[in-house]
Every structure is written in structure tokens, then in C-alpha cells.
Amino acid sequence: MQYAVALAETGHFGRAAERSHVTQPGLSQQIRQLEELCGGALFDRLGKSVRLTPLGREFVERARPILEQTEALLSFVSGQRGTPARPLRLGVIPTVAPYLLPHVFPALQRELPELSFTVSESRTDALLDGLADGSLDLALIASEPRTGGPRLTAASLFADEFVLATGAGDQAEDPMPLAEIDSDRVLLLDEGHCFRDQAIAACALDPDAARRTFAATSLSTIVEFVANGQGITLLPEIALKKEATGNRIRIHRLQSPGARRQLTLVWREATPFGTVFEQVAETIRRARPKV
């Protein structure tokens, strides 16, 4: 039922698998088995997209409240014990996960040994979808939660300052005024990353022009291009210990007021584990990497 609802809401096997934290072949197989049990197709396959059949539309409408009640019952039972009886499902955006988790997880295991976690990486919209459909308990994001959907509690973690990364031989001001950054040389992540949008806003880039420039899938890829003298970029401060090792690139602080993003841990307001999640947030604040 969870897979069917995810597929109905995304209209795409790949995105539904990403939201459900399973492989695409695994999700496809489960949907086929479900259709066999139902005695008919729930989805029309339309090339890369899918659409609900009349049978599928009614199935999903009936499945949604069942899933919500199941999740509420599990949460109620777990809440009587004070802590979750299963691993907490934590989603983290890709521009945070590789830089923060290695510092945070040892601290969580040491300070909250009664908790266990499963972790997934995805973009902000997918993480918020996961909170909405109950497939995630917590999401670590770097932008304001969108309106609509379930009511969320947001615990502010810390501000992550931006810095300018240039080739090792580039002569740039330090600190660098944002207004003087050469926008024609700025390399960006591909669309859908909140850090891309934040970089565009910070550098006052033309969004239409930004779409025509090189767009990478990870900050590590961008850093390699910068190190080869093929552009410049903004980096979040928490990435520096990993991405700015050696003498491949030069890091320049931004002139005040600079630019930053606010990292936030969010969860559904109705959870019975709000106190536990606040403890998780406080542990992350203390364990954050210091630059």
C-alpha cells in the first residue's frame, strides 16, 4: 500500500522508489504482486510515467487512511514505552549528509544509545514528502519547510556560512564582497538542490542564465572543476574539512554580511516522540563540525 500511494503521488517509478527508500526493481515487483492480488491493473504505464486506473484510484483512496491509522497505532504503542521501538528514519539533504553525519552519528550513539537510525539522502522536496506520507520520522533540511501537508515542528540547529572557492592560483579579495563575484564563472548544482537556489540568490544570478551553465550532481564534482581552473563556486562551511583538503583550491571568506543557510531538523507535530526528537536536535548542535 505504501508503494502504491508513493507511485500514485509521484507518477514515476524512480521517484516513488527514492521516496520509499527501496530500489526501483524492488518497487516494481511489489506493484506487480499487488496488482495480481487485486485482479487488475492499478496503474497505466505511459513510457516513463504512470497514471492511476479507475481501480487504482479507488484502491489508493482506501489505502491512505489505512496507512495513516497504522502509523498512528504504531506510534501510540511505541510512545507508551517512551522511545521508539523501531529505528528512527532520518532523511538528510545531499549537501549536508557527507559532511555532518560522520560527526553526528558517533555522538548520537554515545549520548542516545537507546535509539537506532536508518538514514537516507534525498532532496528537500522528497524528504518533506517522506514526512507527509510517514516513510520518514525526521528530516534535516536547509530551507524553510513548504506550506501545505502535515503540521511540522522545526528545531533550528545552526547557521552554515558560505565561502567562495577558487582555483589555487586565483587572486581574489579576502574577504570577498558578494557583489564582486564573477557570476559568469560560478558553477552550480543541478536543479532541485536547495543549495543551488541559495547560491543563485546570494550571487544575484539570473536564474535563466544559470540554467544554461554547467550543473553538477554533487559539491565534490564542482570542487574538482574549480581545482582544475574551470570556474568558482560557493561552498557551505561544513564541507570544508572534506572538500578543501590539500592545496587544490583556495577558500575566501565573504565580506559581511555574507551569505549562509540555516540547518533545521523537522518532524511531524503530531508525533509522540517530540521530546526524543528535541534530544536528537540538541545532540546534533553539540556534535557539529567546528571549522
Side-chain angles (χ1 to χ4, degrees):
M1 286 190 289
Q2 288 176 335
Y3 296 161
V5 170
L7 185 55
E9 292 179 350
T10 62
H12 188 275
F13 275 97
R15 288 193 291 273
E18 181 181 9
R19 180 196 290 191
S20 303
H21 314 296
V22 296
T23 64
Q24 183 171 332
L27 183 138
S28 298
Q29 182 180 15
Q30 292 294 314
I31 293 295
R32 284 196 298 270
Q33 292 178 359
L34 179 61
E35 289 178 323
E36 290 175 4
L37 288 172
C38 292
L42 301 179
F43 297 92
D44 287 325
R45 279 69 169 173
L46 306 170
K48 293 184 178 180
S49 64
V50 297
R51 183 176 58 195
L52 284 166
T53 64
L55 173 63
R57 187 172 297 106
E58 184 163 353
F59 178 90
V60 167
E61 287 176 359
R62 292 172 180 267
R64 280 197 178 101
I66 294 172
L67 290 172
E68 291 173 0
Q69 292 170 18
T70 301
E71 182 67 22
L73 181 59
L74 289 172
S75 296
F76 167 76
V77 172
S78 296
Q80 303 312 297
R81 304 188 185 102
T83 58
R86 54 167 174 75
L88 290 175
R89 299 159 299 184
L90 170 64
V92 188
I93 57 174
T95 58
V96 167
Y99 313 118
L100 186 62
L101 294 184
H103 299 269
V104 165
F105 252 79
L108 288 171
Q109 292 171 337
R110 181 176 61 254
E111 298 182 26
L112 301 170
E114 70 279 11
L115 300 180
S116 60
F117 295 84
T118 61
V119 181
S120 58
E121 277 188 46
S122 196
R123 299 180 186 184
T124 303
D125 283 345
L127 297 185
L128 296 177
D129 288 341
L131 290 178
D133 65 24
S135 61
L136 286 178
D137 300 301
L138 296 157
L140 204 166
I141 61 176
S143 57
E144 288 292 325
R146 67 188 180 220
T147 57
R151 293 174 63 88
L152 299 178
T153 296
S156 178
L157 299 176
F158 57 90
D160 188 19
E161 301 289 336
F162 294 171
V163 298
L164 178 68
T166 69
D170 281 11
Q171 300 300 316
E173 287 188 52
D174 198 348
M176 167 64 76
L178 274 168
E180 294 184 17
I181 291 176
D182 185 354
S183 59
D184 291 335
R185 299 186 64 209
V186 174
L187 302 178
L188 299 168
L189 289 170
D190 60 6
E191 294 193 45
H193 288 279
C194 61
F195 187 73
R196 171 193 172 89
D197 298 332
Q198 291 158 351
I200 289 173
C203 298
L205 301 181
D206 178 357
D208 291 331
R211 292 191 185 95
R212 297 192 292 272
T213 65
F214 168 81
T217 58
S218 72
L219 290 177
S220 295
T221 300
I222 289 180
V223 167
E224 292 304 318
F225 276 81
V226 171
N228 289 329
Q230 295 171 282
I232 60 177
T233 196
L234 292 184
L235 288 178
E237 196 172 51
I238 61 168
L240 296 186
K241 283 191 176 181
K242 184 175 188 298
E243 303 295 356
T245 56
N247 299 311
R248 300 180 306 141
I249 61 175
R250 287 187 63 188
I251 298 301
H252 309 269
R253 297 291 168 178
L254 298 177
Q255 191 175 99
S256 181
R260 64 184 58 84
R261 61 181 180 174
Q262 181 66 40
L263 301 190
T264 305
L265 191 68
V266 294
W267 58 85
R268 290 181 69 133
E269 188 178 276
T271 180
F273 305 121
T275 300
V276 173
F277 294 168
E278 290 284 2
Q279 293 174 332
V280 172
E282 181 55 32
T283 301
I284 293 174
R285 292 186 194 105
R286 288 196 298 267
R288 77 185 208 185
K290 305 300 191 296
V291 179

